[in-house]
Amino acid sequence: METHLESGTTVPMQVVGRVEIADGIFELTLRHDGFHFEPGECVVIFGPEGVSRPYSVASSPAEHGVLRVLYRRMPDGLLTGWLCERQPGDSMMVSYAFGDFRPNAETRSQEHSPVFIATGVGIAPFLSTVRDGRIHASRPRCLYGVRHLADVVDRELLGRCCELQLAVSREKVDGVHHGHVDALVQALDVNLPRDYFLCGLDTMVYAQSDWLEAQGVPAERVHTEVFFTAS
Ligand SMILES: Cc1cc2nc3c(=O)[nH]c(=O)nc-3n(C[C@H](O)[C@H](O)[C@H](O)COP(=O)(O)OP(=O)(O)OC[C@H]3O[C@@H](n4cnc5c(N)ncnc54)[C@H](O)[C@@H]3O)c2cc1C
């Protein structure tokens, strides 16, 4: 039976597997005995010697007993380095799910589909939302910036469920915007009443949320989640 964990609670989860889906980008699958979360929420993973870091859940709540996170291995990163050494069957402590970044269109205006804007592993909360399925009817726009085309996670699903536009910054790919996702954001028709969800690197999230608001998009329609700081 699923339980909604109280604030401050942690639970042990067992590693099912870890897959390197692109160079330095991993998907970690954990098994749990009952854990409630909504698409867009985060968990804190506890590593050795008091190191803990938040990660956005990338899987759907409908995947019974399983929780997946996407992470980029950071050079000398304490927690991501440790995650890369975990083996199937290893245990780790994971916090309750939390956060108010909820890209699920059902809780938002139905007038126009939302716009998802991600850099890198910032796609995780949007994958959770799309994998959840409750958003399919509204077919969101998804603007997704990566360094290399191979870094795109679950392109087939995103292409099927969203109006997907990619921006690839470190290689030229036919038919794909070469550069940062910012240019795709600034080509949007901002006059439509809809919600914007931005997730990933701080420089993109802050610059593009400021730009949207400067174009007259109400602040309550601009939702942000910062994973990394560029400096
Ligand atoms: C709400 C939220 C959700 C997140 N979700 C995700 C997610 O889904 N996936 C994901 O990959 N990440 C996510 N993150 C980021 C994640 O929490 C970690 O910050 C990230 O994985 C790096 O952790 P680490 O311990 O491996 O690296 P750290 O040990 O924290 O180091 C990170 C980098 O900074 C460098 N560094 C560290 N300290 C210094 C210093 N003093 N001076 C100079 N350089 C330094 C290191 O060398 C390394 O390159 C999220 C963050 C937030 C806030």
Side-chain angles (χ1 to χ4, degrees), residues 194-215:
R194 56 188 175 181
D195 288 278
Y196 298 83
F197 295 86
L198 301 97
C199 184
L201 193 65
D202 61 344
T203 45
M204 183 284 282
V205 170
Y206 294 140
Q208 298 317 310
S209 57
D210 285 351
W211 182 84
L212 288 166
E213 289 180 35
Q215 304 311 302

Side-chain angles (χ1 to χ4, degrees), residues 53-56 70-72 74-75 77-80 226-228:
R53 305 275 186 261
Y55 293 89
S56 185
L70 272 183
Y71 67 91
R72 174 178 284 282
M74 304 299 270
L78 292 177
L79 204 286
T80 54
V226 170
F227 279 8
F228 302 110

Side-chain angles (χ1 to χ4, degrees), residues 19 42-43 78 83 141 143 160 169:
V19 178
C42 298
V43 294
L78 292 177
L83 287 180
R141 288 285 285 270
L143 313 182
R160 185 158 37 85
S169 62

Side-chain angles (χ1 to χ4, degrees), residues 66-117:
V66 161
L67 184 139
R68 292 189 275 160
V69 295
L70 272 183
Y71 67 91
R72 174 178 284 282
R73 182 175 189 159
M74 304 299 270
D76 303 321
L78 292 177
L79 204 286
T80 54
W82 180 79
L83 287 180
C84 284
E85 291 166 359
R86 297 307 95 200
Q87 299 297 327
D90 285 351
S91 254
M92 62 185 71
M93 298 305 291
V94 178
S95 77
Y96 65 98
F98 62 92
D100 56 10
F101 189 72
R102 301 287 176 82
N104 189 329
E106 291 207 331
T107 62
R108 304 284 171 189
S109 161
Q110 294 295 305
E111 297 156 79
H112 293 279
S113 55
V115 183
F116 298 163
I117 303 162

Side-chain angles (χ1 to χ4, degrees), residues 138-218:
S138 72
R139 201 168 165 80
R141 288 285 285 270
C142 179
L143 313 182
Y144 182 9
V146 289
R147 295 173 184 173
H148 299 279
L149 190 64
D151 296 346
V152 175
V153 181
D154 220 338
R155 184 177 183 180
E156 190 280 324
L157 177 79
L158 290 170
R160 185 158 37 85
C161 300
C162 306
E163 279 183 47
L164 177 63
Q165 278 181 278
L166 299 173
V168 177
S169 62
R170 296 195 185 172
E171 63 179 321
K172 285 191 175 174
V173 180
D174 283 348
V176 172
H177 174 71
H178 178 57
H180 294 293
V181 75
D182 308 40
L184 302 181
V185 177
Q186 297 186 10
L188 288 168
D189 177 358
V190 292
N191 294 314
L192 297 176
R194 56 188 175 181
D195 288 278
Y196 298 83
F197 295 86
L198 301 97
C199 184
L201 193 65
D202 61 344
T203 45
M204 183 284 282
V205 170
Y206 294 140
Q208 298 317 310
S209 57
D210 285 351
W211 182 84
L212 288 166
E213 289 180 35
Q215 304 311 302
V217 177

Side-chain angles (χ1 to χ4, degrees), residues 24 31 33 50-51 115 187 228:
R31 180 174 297 122
D33 291 330
V51 176
V115 183
F228 302 110

